[in-house]
Amino acid sequence: MTTFTLGRRALIAAVAAIGLTGPASADGHQVVDSIHFLIPGGAGGGWDGTARGTGEALTKAGLVGTASYENMSGGGGGKAIGYLIENADSNHGTLMVNSTPIVIRSLTGVFPHNFRDLTLVSGTIGDYAAIVVGKDSPINSMADLLAAFDADPGGTAIGGGSVPGGMDHLVAAMVMEAAGKDALGVKYIPYDAGGKAMAALLSGEIAALSTGFSEAVDLANAGEVKIIGVTSDERVDAAPDAMTMKEQGIDTTFVNWRGFFAAPGLPEEKLAAYQEAIAKMYDTPEWEEVRARNGWVNIHNSGADFQTFLEQQEQQIGDLMKKLGFL
């Protein structure tokens, strides 16, 4: 069984970090004075939206006094990671957002660092993956897709929005492998834009598309695709009719997590304060408004639980990438 899931929300002990967390509000509600969010990509992307949405919820809920943001693109996220490590002592007030690519890109050597070089704060949200087909496709389930693959592997291509060896490819290979097929036999075609991938799907150039669940829901709601499988443990409220892979006899799950990291050597009191603020955030209406608006799934763990998950994901992704010839 291949399982890429985060643990349940860790219980965070209350922290009294006087002088480190800044002045508390009158009712003792504020936990951290300020947070500077470092975003490894440009404006408008998933990392940007996660950092700004989290900062919005934390400040509006009164858990954090002020939030600021800095976009630092470059090196597939490596520039921001390197900056945080090299300037650790002056960045104790900074949290960097990241996600599954920190595991993939460190494995492939896109950048020399990995998550172990940082202070792990908390995983916060997730986006499952989905396999979709065109609205007029004769394929209506994973069983149909597998039957088409068995009949004509070369003519049953799966497309995605990432490069070969990237996340969409790995998800497609993982699902097919769990279904008893040879991942090396899956024909994967990458596209650099969602519009091009959709055009390929509708024209029959590809039989199916591997994509993020939230994107799949948007496409399904627009009447452009059918979702034939989701990599969640249970059906997701945003698309209650979409069957999970597990329901269809394919024993695999996957979530593209997003979470926060801090500079190496961060004082324990500061780390605990960040973790407390994030843990409390989940119970606020301000967070629920942000979460619902973005279609995020609450998936939260902190510290040691976060590290255990990342190590498991690194092992599982690494094994699959080796089989596919990318490592």
Side-chain angles (χ1 to χ4, degrees), residues 187-324:
K187 183 178 180 181
Y188 175 80
I189 301 179
Y191 297 91
D192 61 6
K196 292 182 179 179
M198 275 305 303
L201 188 64
L202 297 177
S203 71
E205 181 178 332
I206 54 177
L209 180 67
S210 172
T211 188
F213 174 72
S214 56
E215 182 180 353
V217 171
D218 288 343
L219 293 170
N221 288 342
E224 296 179 333
V225 303
K226 297 178 288 188
I227 302 174
I228 62 169
V230 182
T231 62
S232 54
D233 276 312
E234 299 175 348
R235 294 197 189 193
V236 183
D237 290 344
D241 294 331
M243 293 181 68
T244 68
M245 296 297 175
K246 282 188 170 184
E247 284 182 275
Q248 301 177 78
I250 301 172
D251 195 7
T252 190
T253 61
F254 175 85
V255 63
N256 176 25
W257 58 270
R258 292 182 194 143
F260 293 95
F261 299 80
L266 185 74
E268 286 295 327
E269 297 89 346
K270 193 75 172 178
L271 171 61
Y274 286 142
Q275 290 174 332
E276 182 189 359
I278 290 172
K280 287 183 172 180
M281 175 186 73
Y282 287 88
D283 296 324
T284 67
E286 290 83 3
W287 171 251
E288 179 54 26
E289 179 182 345
V290 171
R291 186 211 63 77
R293 183 176 73 220
N294 288 281
W296 294 336
V297 177
N298 282 334
I299 302 175
H300 175 221
N301 63 5
S302 290
D305 289 341
F306 193 20
Q307 179 164 343
T308 297
F309 162 75
L310 290 173
E311 289 173 347
Q312 291 173 343
Q313 188 180 68
E314 181 183 58
Q315 181 67 48
Q316 291 158 342
I317 288 178
D319 288 346
L320 184 57
M321 293 185 80
K322 286 174 184 175
K323 175 160 189 173
L324 295 171

Side-chain angles (χ1 to χ4, degrees), residues 17-324:
I18 299 172
L20 287 169
T21 62
S25 60
D27 62 358
H29 190 55
Q30 183 172 304
V31 179
V32 177
D33 184 29
S34 65
I35 296 177
H36 180 65
F37 288 96
L38 180 61
I39 303 162
W47 285 334
D48 187 68
T50 300
R52 293 179 189 274
T54 302
E56 174 190 334
L58 286 169
T59 54
K60 285 186 175 180
L63 293 165
V64 172
T66 60
S68 57
Y69 309 91
E70 178 182 2
N71 293 89
M72 186 180 291
S73 301
K79 181 178 179 180
I81 295 171
Y83 171 82
L84 193 58
I85 292 171
E86 292 161 14
N87 300 279
D89 291 343
S90 61
N91 277 281
H92 288 175
T94 298
L95 291 184
M96 182 188 69
V97 64
N98 220 291
S99 58
T100 307
I102 197 173
V103 175
I104 296 174
R105 289 168 183 163
S106 64
L107 283 170
T108 55
V110 172
F111 45 72
H113 307 293
N114 63 44
F115 60 84
R116 295 178 185 83
D117 298 312
L118 301 162
T119 296
L120 278 60
V121 179
S122 179
T124 53
I125 62 168
D127 187 16
Y128 298 111
I131 302 295
V132 305
V133 296
K135 60 181 179 180
D136 298 321
S137 171
I139 294 172
N140 292 298
S141 66
M142 285 303 301
D144 290 347
L145 180 63
L146 294 171
F149 178 82
D150 288 339
D152 184 8
T156 311
I158 300 177
S162 62
V163 298
M167 199 155 56
D168 291 340
H169 185 190
L170 291 176
V171 167
M174 181 198 321
V175 168
M176 296 300 278
E177 185 91 350
K181 310 304 175 185
D182 182 2
L184 288 171
V186 178
K187 183 178 180 181
Y188 175 80
I189 301 179
Y191 297 91
D192 61 6
K196 292 182 179 179
M198 275 305 303
L201 188 64
L202 297 177
S203 71
E205 181 178 332
I206 54 177
L209 180 67
S210 172
T211 188
F213 174 72
S214 56
E215 182 180 353
V217 171
D218 288 343
L219 293 170
N221 288 342
E224 296 179 333
V225 303
K226 297 178 288 188
I227 302 174
I228 62 169
V230 182
T231 62
S232 54
D233 276 312
E234 299 175 348
R235 294 197 189 193
V236 183
D237 290 344
D241 294 331
M243 293 181 68
T244 68
M245 296 297 175
K246 282 188 170 184
E247 284 182 275
Q248 301 177 78
I250 301 172
D251 195 7
T252 190
T253 61
F254 175 85
V255 63
N256 176 25
W257 58 270
R258 292 182 194 143
F260 293 95
F261 299 80
L266 185 74
E268 286 295 327
E269 297 89 346
K270 193 75 172 178
L271 171 61
Y274 286 142
Q275 290 174 332
E276 182 189 359
I278 290 172
K280 287 183 172 180
M281 175 186 73
Y282 287 88
D283 296 324
T284 67
E286 290 83 3
W287 171 251
E288 179 54 26
E289 179 182 345
V290 171
R291 186 211 63 77
R293 183 176 73 220
N294 288 281
W296 294 336
V297 177
N298 282 334
I299 302 175
H300 175 221
N301 63 5
S302 290
D305 289 341
F306 193 20
Q307 179 164 343
T308 297
F309 162 75
L310 290 173
E311 289 173 347
Q312 291 173 343
Q313 188 180 68
E314 181 183 58
Q315 181 67 48
Q316 291 158 342
I317 288 178
D319 288 346
L320 184 57
M321 293 185 80
K322 286 174 184 175
K323 175 160 189 173
L324 295 171

